[in-house]
Amino acid sequence: MSDVITIRAKTIEEAVSKASEHLKISPQKIQFEVIDEGYRGLFRKRPAIIQVFVRKSVRKEEESPTTVDILSAPSKAKIQSEYGTVWVKDGKIFCKNGSYQYAMLTPCDGLTLTVNGQAVTGTTIVAEEDVIDLELHNHLRETKISLTVSEDQMQVLLEIVPGYSITRSLKDMPPSRELTLEVMETRTVKTSITEEMVYQELEKIGVKMGIEHDEIKRACRSREPIKCVIAKGYDPIPGRDGVFELVSQKRREEKEQFIITDTVDWKERFSLPSVQAGEVIGYPVAAKPGVNGWNVFGHEVPAPEVKELTVLTGTGTILHGENRKLVATEAGRIKITQHPNNTLGFSIIPQYVHNDNVNIRTGNIRFHGDVFILGNVEDGMIVEAGGNLHILGRVSNATVRTGGDSVINGAVTGSTIICGYSNLVWDNMLPHFKSTYELIIQLINAIRQLESNKSFSRQDIAKMGLQPLIKLLTEVKFKELPSHIRKISGFAKNDKEIFDSEMQLIVDFLEKAFLYFHPLVSDLGQMESLVARMESIIFAAEFDSNKKMNINVQSLTNSKVISAWDVEVERFCYGSNIQAKGTVRVKEQLRGGQVEAGHFVKVKEIGSISGSSAVVWVTNSDGYVQADQVWPDTMIRIAQLTKKFIHEESSVFMRINDQGSLVLR
C-alpha cells in the first residue's frame, strides 16, 4: 500500500527536493506525478504541483524510531523543531516550516480548502509561503407550509415545517505535524410563516367558514413541525325519524311476566307488555327534521333525510281518530314486526291460561298465542304455543313446541322441548326464499330486455300472456327456480301454523306462476308486486331470526332440547341431548348425552367418577367450554378440534389459542 501527498514549489525540481527532505529519502527513490508544471510571469505566478507516492514500508524503515529514542532531551527538542507544524487559531490556519519535513493538512466536510488557488480534497503538504484559503459552507432551509381540505370539505388541515439555518465555524486546534480540520455547527430555527400569510392562503382557496384563529396563532409560533385543523365546517344536526310512543309510563317500565336470567336483554327477547281489549297502546310521533350544516367554503350541507313512521295494523289492532292512536281490539301480548322504511307492524298475540294438568282427559294444547299451564304436562301429551310458554309443573314423556321463550319450573323427563320453532324453520327455509326472490328479479329484468328488442313481438304477449315466456325462461335460463320453490312449498305445508295468510298467498302464487304456469299470471305488474311482498317478508324474517328465544328448565333427564338461542338448566342434566344456537349453562352435573352450543358451555361438573361419558361441542372457533370438574371418558370439541379426557381434570377452561391449538386452561 502507498500514501499520496501533494507538494507545491516554484519548480518541479524544487518540489521533488522538498519531498526528498520531507520523506528523508533520496530524490532518485521518489515516485511522483506532475499535476501542474507551474508558471512564472511578470505579473502572475503559479506554483508547480506534484503528487508523490510513498510506500508505507519505506517510510517505516527510514524513520528509524530506535535512533530517536536514544537521543538526549535537548536533542529531542531540536528534532521537534525540524518538523513543520500547522494549527488553527480564531478561525485561521497557520503553519510553520520544519528543517527537514513540512506539516500535513487534511480538510473535513462542511468547508472548501484551497492552497495556492487549488482546491484540496485529500491530505496535502502546507508551508509558510503557501496561500491557504478557507470557505465555510453554511446551510439555509426554507419553512414549508401546506393546506389540505378534507374530502367532505368540512375541515382544513394546516401543516408547517419550520425552516432553519446551519452556521459553521472552524474549531481552534493546537500545533500538530498532521492536522485534520474540524468545524462546529450552530443550528437556528427560522420560521418565516406569519398569521397574515395563512389568512391569505385560506382566502386564495376560498375558505370562509369556521376559521380557528387560536390554532393559526399556535401553529405560526411553533418551533417544531406541527399539524392542526385551522378551519371547521358546521356539521348538520341529524333529525329524528318518526317513532311510536307508548301512552302509559307504567307500560314503558313494565317487564314481561317471567324471567329466565338476569343477564338477558329484555329488549331483544320480548316486545311490548300485555294489554286489554279497548286499551290505547300508543301513537305515532311525527319525524323531526334535522338542521343543515355548512362546509368551510360556505356551502350548505343538508341534514340526513328523516322518515315518517308507518304503522301497519294486524290481528287485534286498529288505528283510531285523528291522532291515529293504536287501540287493541282484543286482550293479549303485543307483537311488533319491523319492516323496511321505518315501518312497524302491530298485532295482538292472545294468551291462554290452562288451570289444570295437561293429560288425556284435557287433550293436547295447540294455541297460536302465549300459553300458561298451571299444572303438569303428562305422558304422551303435546303442547304447542305460537308465543311464549310457561309451565309451572313438570313435563313427562311429552312434546313441547313454542314460537317464543319457554320456562318450565318442574323437572323434564323423557320429553322433547323445541323453543323458537318458527326461527328454526326460517333458518332452513330463508336461503331458498332469498334465492327465489333474487331469481325472480333477474327473470323480470330479462323480460324487460326482451320487450325493448325491436324483433320481439309484444302482440304475442298480448294474445298469449306471459306464461309461455316465463316457462321458456324458467326451463332454459332459470332452471334452479322450481327447485327452490318446491322447498319453500314443503316448509309452508309441513308447518302451516307458523306462517300467516300473507305467506300462504305468496307460496300459492309462486307455485302457479313457476310450477304450473297458470294463465292467471298475465303481466309483469303482478310479478313486481310479488317481489315487493317477498322483500318485506325477508326483512321481517331476518329481524325475527335475530330474536333470542330461550329455554329455562329445572332439570333434564333422558330428554331432547332444541333452542333458537340459549338453554339454562337450574340443576342437573342426565342422559339428554341439548342443541342451542347461543349458549348452554348447567348449574350442577352434566352426565351422559350430548351438548352442542354456538358460543360457549358452562357446567359445574361434566361426566362422573363411574365413567358416564358425555360429549360437549362448541361450534364457533372463538367459543369455549368451562367446567369446575371434568371426569374421564368426556369428549370436548371446539370447532373442529377435539380432546378426550383420560384423567380427571379440575378448573377447565378449554379454548383455541392464537396459534390454532386447543388449550386446557
Side-chain angles (χ1 to χ4, degrees):
M1 296 179 65
S2 61
D3 289 338
V4 178
I5 60 175
T6 304
I7 306 293
R8 293 172 177 80
K10 294 179 181 180
T11 65
I12 293 175
E13 290 79 9
E14 187 177 339
V16 173
S17 178
K18 287 176 68 173
S20 174
E21 292 176 6
H22 177 74
L23 298 173
K24 303 292 186 180
I25 58 175
S26 63
Q28 291 77 13
K29 293 184 178 181
I30 293 176
Q31 296 181 358
F32 65 91
E33 180 181 347
V34 177
I35 303 302
D36 193 334
E37 294 181 352
Y39 174 78
R40 297 185 68 83
L42 182 60
F43 299 104
R44 184 168 175 267
K45 299 177 182 179
R46 188 174 72 247
I49 303 173
I50 65 172
Q51 281 190 341
V52 179
F53 304 92
V54 185
R55 292 185 293 113
K56 289 184 177 180
S57 58
V58 172
R59 294 187 63 183
K60 289 182 179 179
E61 291 171 1
E62 299 189 7
E63 282 180 359
S64 187
T66 306
T67 304
V68 174
D69 290 340
I70 63 175
L71 294 177
S72 62
S75 298
K76 287 185 178 180
K78 183 179 179 181
I79 290 176
Q80 184 69 28
S81 66
E82 292 174 353
Y83 294 95
T85 56
V86 62
W87 66 94
V88 179
K89 179 69 173 175
D90 297 330
K92 296 181 180 180
I93 300 174
F94 301 91
C95 60
K96 184 174 180 60
N97 294 343
S99 302
Y100 300 106
Q101 193 170 15
Y102 292 98
M104 304 184 73
L105 184 62
T106 304
C108 64
D109 293 336
L111 55 80
T112 298
L113 177 67
T114 59
V115 179
N116 299 322
Q118 297 293 319
V120 176
T121 58
T123 302
T124 184
I125 292 175
V126 290
E128 294 176 10
E129 60 270 23
D130 289 338
V131 178
I132 303 174
D133 293 320
L134 191 70
E135 181 184 355
L136 293 166
H137 301 162
N138 296 324
H139 181 70
L140 177 64
R141 179 173 177 177
E142 297 293 337
T143 301
K144 294 182 179 179
I145 179 175
S146 66
L147 270 68
T148 305
V149 180
S150 63
E151 187 175 348
D152 60 1
Q153 300 183 346
M154 297 299 288
Q155 288 187 348
V156 178
L157 179 68
L158 170 65
E159 181 176 4
I160 295 179
V161 180
Y164 59 87
S165 64
I166 296 178
T167 304
R168 295 184 172 95
S169 60
L170 196 60
K171 182 179 179 182
D172 286 354
M173 304 182 73
S176 175
R177 290 170 56 188
E178 296 184 7
L179 184 67
T180 300
L181 298 176
E182 295 181 20
V183 295
M184 298 180 295
E185 294 184 351
T186 302
R187 184 185 181 108
T188 305
V189 176
K190 293 185 176 181
T191 178
S192 57
I193 303 300
T194 65
E195 295 176 40
E196 184 62 28
M197 293 170 63
V198 176
Y199 288 122
Q200 289 175 359
E201 290 296 317
L202 289 173
E203 186 176 355
K204 283 181 184 178
I205 62 177
V207 174
K208 300 177 181 178
M209 302 285 291
I211 296 176
E212 301 281 340
H213 303 285
D214 290 341
E215 285 296 285
I216 293 175
K217 182 180 296 184
R218 183 173 72 91
C220 292
R221 292 179 178 178
S222 176
R223 311 294 288 176
E224 300 290 337
I226 187 172
K227 289 182 180 180
C228 58
V229 177
I230 61 169
K232 294 179 182 178
Y234 301 102
D235 292 325
I237 301 174
R240 186 202 64 203
D241 290 342
V243 296
F244 188 82
E245 183 72 21
L246 289 170
V247 171
S248 169
Q249 178 67 26
K250 177 183 176 182
R251 292 298 186 203
R252 290 194 290 270
E253 295 176 351
E254 185 179 358
K255 291 184 178 180
E256 188 53 56
Q257 299 172 26
F258 47 92
I259 299 175
I260 290 183
T261 170
D262 293 336
T263 62
V264 172
D265 186 347
W266 287 95
K267 293 180 181 179
E268 292 182 333
R269 292 182 54 246
F270 294 101
S271 56
L272 298 176
S274 301
V275 294
Q276 300 299 319
E279 182 176 341
V280 177
I281 300 169
Y283 53 88
V285 177
K288 180 181 179 181
V291 178
N292 292 342
W294 301 84
N295 65 23
V296 294
F297 298 114
H299 301 149
E300 196 169 15
V301 179
E305 292 185 4
V306 294
K307 297 178 181 179
E308 294 291 351
L309 175 69
T310 300
V311 176
L312 302 178
T313 57
T315 303
T317 60
I318 60 170
L319 287 172
H320 178 72
E322 294 182 0
N323 295 330
R324 295 174 57 79
K325 293 180 179 179
L326 183 69
V327 181
T329 59
E330 58 184 73
R333 178 169 59 85
I334 302 170
K335 178 183 178 182
I336 301 177
T337 303
Q338 188 169 355
H339 299 278
N341 299 319
N342 199 27
T343 300
L344 293 178
F346 292 86
S347 59
I348 301 298
I349 297 178
Q351 296 175 321
Y352 171 72
V353 179
H354 185 77
N355 294 309
D356 200 351
N357 297 329
V358 179
N359 50 34
I360 296 177
R361 179 178 57 82
T362 62
N364 297 324
I365 293 178
R366 291 184 172 90
F367 190 70
H368 63 281
D370 295 341
V371 175
F372 299 87
I373 298 174
L374 305 184
N376 304 320
V377 180
E378 299 180 1
D379 292 3
M381 303 311 297
I382 298 173
V383 174
E384 294 181 353
N388 298 327
L389 172 67
H390 191 182
I391 300 174
L392 293 182
R394 66 181 183 275
V395 178
S396 303
N397 302 310
T399 299
V400 174
R401 192 169 72 176
T402 71
D405 294 277
S406 299
V407 172
I408 301 174
N409 289 359
V412 176
T413 304
S415 300
T416 297
I417 312 294
I418 302 176
C419 171
Y421 182 74
S422 60
N423 294 40
L424 298 172
V425 172
W426 271 109
D427 283 345
N428 294 320
M429 189 179 77
L430 190 57
H432 298 287
F433 199 83
K434 292 175 73 172
S435 295
T436 300
Y437 165 78
E438 292 166 359
L439 288 170
I440 292 175
I441 291 177
Q442 294 175 24
L443 189 145
I444 291 173
N445 291 335
I447 294 175
R448 291 293 188 199
Q449 289 179 356
L450 286 174
E451 286 182 336
S452 63
N453 193 321
K454 294 181 179 179
S455 62
F456 184 79
S457 176
R458 295 187 180 183
Q459 294 180 352
D460 291 339
I461 292 182
K463 292 179 180 179
M464 304 178 63
L466 279 178
Q467 299 83 11
L469 184 56
I470 293 175
K471 182 177 181 181
L472 177 63
L473 289 172
T474 302
E475 292 175 349
V476 175
K477 191 174 181 180
F478 303 98
K479 296 179 180 180
E480 64 272 34
L481 183 57
S483 175
H484 288 299
I485 293 174
R486 290 188 183 96
K487 291 282 187 181
I488 296 169
S489 178
F491 285 112
K493 291 176 181 177
N494 292 334
D495 297 284
K496 291 182 179 180
E497 65 278 3
I498 70 172
F499 297 108
D500 57 17
S501 58
E502 174 78 1
M503 181 64 185
Q504 297 293 349
L505 289 173
I506 288 175
V507 173
D508 182 64
F509 187 93
L510 289 173
E511 289 179 335
K512 289 179 178 178
F514 303 104
L515 297 183
Y516 312 131
F517 306 107
H518 199 284
L520 290 177
V521 182
S522 57
D523 60 71
L524 284 179
Q526 292 173 294
M527 296 176 63
E528 289 171 340
S529 175
L530 168 71
V531 165
R533 291 156 67 188
M534 291 182 71
E535 181 181 13
S536 177
I537 285 181
I538 289 171
F539 185 91
E542 290 180 333
F543 176 79
D544 285 340
S545 67
N546 290 326
K547 290 183 178 178
K548 297 178 171 64
M549 306 302 183
N550 309 280
I551 296 176
N552 177 267
V553 299
Q554 184 70 14
S555 64
L556 289 173
T557 303
N558 298 326
S559 296
K560 180 179 180 180
V561 173
I562 301 175
S563 174
W565 197 246
D566 294 342
V567 173
E568 183 163 345
V569 182
E570 296 291 340
R571 295 186 61 198
F572 57 82
C573 178
Y574 294 161
S576 298
N577 294 339
I578 299 176
Q579 182 179 340
K581 289 175 63 176
T583 67
V584 174
R585 293 180 176 89
V586 180
K587 294 186 178 180
E588 296 181 7
Q589 301 86 9
L590 171 63
R591 294 177 178 168
Q594 297 182 359
V595 173
E596 177 185 333
H599 297 291
F600 66 78
V601 175
K602 288 186 178 181
V603 184
K604 181 177 181 182
E605 183 180 344
I606 305 178
S608 68
I609 193 171
S610 61
S612 177
S613 62
V615 177
V616 177
W617 181 22
V618 174
T619 57
N620 291 349
S621 59
D622 57 350
Y624 63 89
V625 174
Q626 183 176 352
D628 294 342
Q629 194 84 16
V630 178
W631 294 97
D633 290 335
T634 296
M635 184 177 294
I636 295 181
R637 182 180 180 185
I638 308 292
Q640 302 304 318
L641 301 180
T642 304
K643 175 180 174 57
K644 185 172 183 179
F645 286 76
I646 306 301
H647 306 288
E648 174 190 355
E649 296 282 354
S650 59
S651 301
V652 171
F653 186 86
M654 185 166 289
R655 59 184 176 83
I656 297 176
N657 62 15
D658 295 337
Q659 289 72 41
S661 302
L662 200 60
V663 293
L664 194 59
R665 294 179 181 84

